[in-house]
């Protein structure tokens, strides 16, 4: 894995050899010409990311935004009136922008949006006369991502890379996200330049799809560690151990993990943690469950044997539905298991 520094690398190598003299500046080439950018999906993450992107772009550049929820696009334009245009549809974004970022909920949304952008395969003749750089920040399965990448490359309309992220809404707002990217070597520099305007770390894990594979493997582990921590804490506390003493011991011992140390599920163990504020905020149990499902499905599709997946899945399904747990931080698993609060 490589952490990539934010070097502004021109995208010229990604353009077809026959491309005419570029009419607009692509990232980091001549400063005299405008560049055009697109952002699709102005939700909890995307809205803040697009705002940070717009704030760091040169004033003369134009950012085209689009969301099926027209209220989100309208609000974005109201809050960021300079250099922003609301596109009528995603095809218009693809036609007008050289770099397009997508931040969408699920695989079917990514598939649908890219189908609209890439078909008919006439972007190079009808839009900006350059290959596009498409950066998808959604958390989806690697197979869907690979098929979208293939549609972009086989029609020579663009280079598609996966760049799922971690850091949550707080990181999106603060511009401190970590991106895990799967990209061919020549796309790493340009993608890093773009993503560095919305985050602080870009980790290149390998070719297209590698970012998603890394993210899903990590979030699978996180989901299981979260359950195991809740069970271990509950066990110790019900045996009469003092919660902070137990957590302190685990956190200098072999059981230490992110849920035990940073996001301990027992209220009062860590000041300011979601558990200590009634499990509000943090990493929503529905999102944790979404990532777990994607990881399990993708592993099963690749014949990877998983021993704990089905149990974990069943538990998160129940936690997500439980009246006293739904909509809360995923550490609420502790409450669901009857942990002492
Ligand atoms: P969200 O549901 O808040 O936002 C998604 C946005 O996409 C919505 O505004 C929706 O209207 C829009 N959208 C849906 N279909 C569309 C279409 N066809 N065309 C245009 N816009 C469309 O989701 P989010 O929390 O912002 O997450 C986005 C992605 O990032 C997801 O894949 C999620 O798993 C991932 N992610 C989220 C977090 C988090 O903490 N929220 C953290 C890391 C990764």
């Amino acid at each position: 894995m490589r952490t990539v520094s934010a070097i502004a690398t021109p995208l010229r190598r990604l353009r077809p050899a026959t491309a005419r003299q570029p009419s607009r500046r692509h990232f980091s080439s001549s400063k005299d010409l405008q560049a055009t950018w697109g952002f699709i999906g102005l939700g909890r993450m995307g809205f803040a990311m697009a705002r940070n992107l717009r704030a760091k772009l040169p004033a003369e550049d134009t950012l085209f935004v689009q969301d099926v929820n027209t209220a989100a696009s309208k609000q974005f334009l109201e809050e960021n009136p300079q250099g922003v245009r609301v596109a009528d549809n995603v095809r218009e974004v693809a036609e007008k922008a050289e770099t397009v970022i997508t931040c969408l909920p699920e695989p079917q949304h990514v598939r649908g949006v890219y189908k609209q952008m890439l078909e008919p395969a006439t972007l190079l003749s009808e839009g900006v006369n350059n290959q596009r750089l498409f950066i998808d920040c959604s958390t989806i399965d690697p197979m869907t991502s690979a098929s979208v990448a293939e549609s972009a490359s086989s029609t020579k309309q663009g280079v598609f890379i996966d760049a799922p992220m971690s850091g949550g809404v707080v990181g999106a707002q603060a511009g401190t996200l970590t991106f895990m990217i799967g990209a061919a070597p020549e796309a790493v520099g340009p993608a890093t330049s773009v993503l560095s305007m919305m985050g602080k770390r870009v980790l290149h894990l390998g070719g297209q799809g590698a970012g998603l594979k890394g993210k899903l493997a990590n979030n699978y582990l996180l989901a299981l560690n979260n359950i195991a921590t809740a069970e271990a804490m509950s066990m110790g506390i019900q045996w009469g151990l003092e919660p902070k003493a137990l957590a302190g011991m685990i956190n200098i011992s072999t059981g230490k993990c992110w849920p035990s140390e940073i996001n301990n599920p027992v209220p009062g163990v860590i000041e300011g943690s979601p558990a200590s504020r009634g499990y509000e905020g943090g990493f929503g149990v529905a999102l944790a469950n979404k990532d777990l499902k994607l990881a399990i499905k993708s592993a099963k599709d690749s014949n990877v044997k998983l021993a704990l997946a089905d149990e974990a899945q069943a538990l998160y399904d129940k936690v997500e539905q439980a009246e006293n747990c739904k909509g809360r931080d995923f550490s609420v698993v502790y409450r669901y298991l009857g942990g002492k609060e």
Side-chain angles (χ1 to χ4, degrees):
M1 180 194 71
R2 268 187 334 122
T3 302
V4 189
S5 61
I7 306 163
T9 307
L11 258 177
R12 291 198 187 95
R13 269 177 300 165
L14 294 175
R15 293 176 181 147
T18 52
R20 282 178 287 141
Q21 189 68 18
S23 58
R24 291 158 187 255
R25 173 174 62 76
H26 216 310
F27 191 76
S28 87
S29 52
S30 162
K31 287 224 181 288
D32 303 333
L33 299 164
Q34 309 183 294
T36 47
W37 304 78
F39 202 108
I40 299 170
L42 301 168
R44 278 165 297 184
M45 298 293 286
F47 195 97
M49 292 163 71
R51 186 179 52 218
N52 286 334
L53 176 68
R54 177 57 272 182
K56 292 191 180 153
L57 289 175
E60 65 273 21
D61 286 7
T62 304
L63 175 65
F64 288 87
V65 295
Q66 215 278 336
D67 195 297
V68 276
N69 172 11
T70 51
S73 310
K74 189 167 171 274
Q75 188 188 343
F76 190 85
L77 183 64
E78 276 165 16
E79 291 180 20
N80 306 274
Q82 299 304 321
V84 171
R85 289 180 51 193
V86 175
D88 287 338
N89 50 57
V90 298
R91 175 71 186 190
E92 188 190 349
V93 178
E95 283 172 359
K96 297 196 170 145
E98 297 164 309
T99 305
V100 178
I101 298 143
T102 46
C103 188
L104 298 161
E106 308 261 354
Q108 67 269 23
H109 304 113
V110 175
R111 211 179 294 116
V113 162
Y114 278 90
K115 190 169 161 41
Q116 289 172 56
M117 287 201 282
L118 296 169
E119 295 176 14
T122 50
L123 282 182
L124 291 184
S125 50
E126 290 175 10
V128 178
N129 190 18
N130 290 324
Q131 262 196 327
R132 302 328 190 255
L133 176 60
F134 294 108
I135 302 178
D136 183 35
C137 297
S138 322
T139 305
I140 60 168
D141 60 294
M143 284 182 186
T144 299
S145 187
S147 86
V148 173
E150 179 7 66
S151 310
S153 67
S154 63
T155 56
K156 299 189 169 50
Q157 297 182 98
V159 171
F160 173 95
I161 72 155
D162 51 301
M165 55 211 166
S166 67
V169 176
V170 172
Q173 286 166 347
T176 55
L177 293 168
T178 294
F179 294 96
M180 292 136 265
I181 67 168
E186 63 273 23
V188 174
T192 301
S193 299
V194 177
L195 294 169
S196 298
M197 291 188 265
M198 299 174 282
K200 68 171 181 198
R201 238 184 269 129
V202 179
L203 308 175
H204 181 219
L205 294 183
Q208 201 283 321
L212 283 166
K213 290 170 187 165
K215 158 118 188 173
L216 294 182
N218 179 72
N219 283 24
Y220 178 78
L221 178 60
L222 175 65
L224 297 192
N225 276 343
N226 182 52
I227 298 173
T229 304
E231 289 178 341
M233 290 299 298
S234 188
M235 182 190 295
I237 291 166
Q238 287 182 54
W239 284 337
L241 298 181
E242 199 278 314
K244 280 191 181 174
L246 174 60
M249 182 278 292
I250 289 174
N251 291 331
I252 53 165
S253 306
T254 45
K256 172 177 155 174
C257 55
W258 190 82
S260 71
E261 194 181 22
I262 311 290
N263 203 56
N264 196 289
V266 181
V269 166
I270 294 171
E271 206 182 317
S273 69
S276 298
R277 343 179 268 263
Y279 299 98
E280 292 300 334
F283 185 34
V285 65
L287 274 179
N289 198 14
K290 175 203 158 183
D291 291 0
L292 178 65
K293 282 189 176 131
L294 283 171
I296 295 173
K297 182 185 177 302
S298 306
K300 287 187 174 168
D301 286 347
S302 319
N303 292 321
V304 177
K305 191 171 171 187
L306 303 173
L308 301 175
D310 294 339
E311 290 275 338
Q313 180 70 83
L315 177 64
Y316 279 108
D317 281 347
K318 287 186 226 145
V319 177
E320 201 186 326
Q321 296 306 321
E323 219 36 68
N324 60 347
C325 299
K326 65 164 75 150
R328 296 175 197 257
D329 180 74
F330 77 142
S331 61
V332 77
V333 161
Y334 175 81
R335 171 181 280 173
Y336 183 84
L337 292 173
K340 202 169 159 194
E341 290 183 48

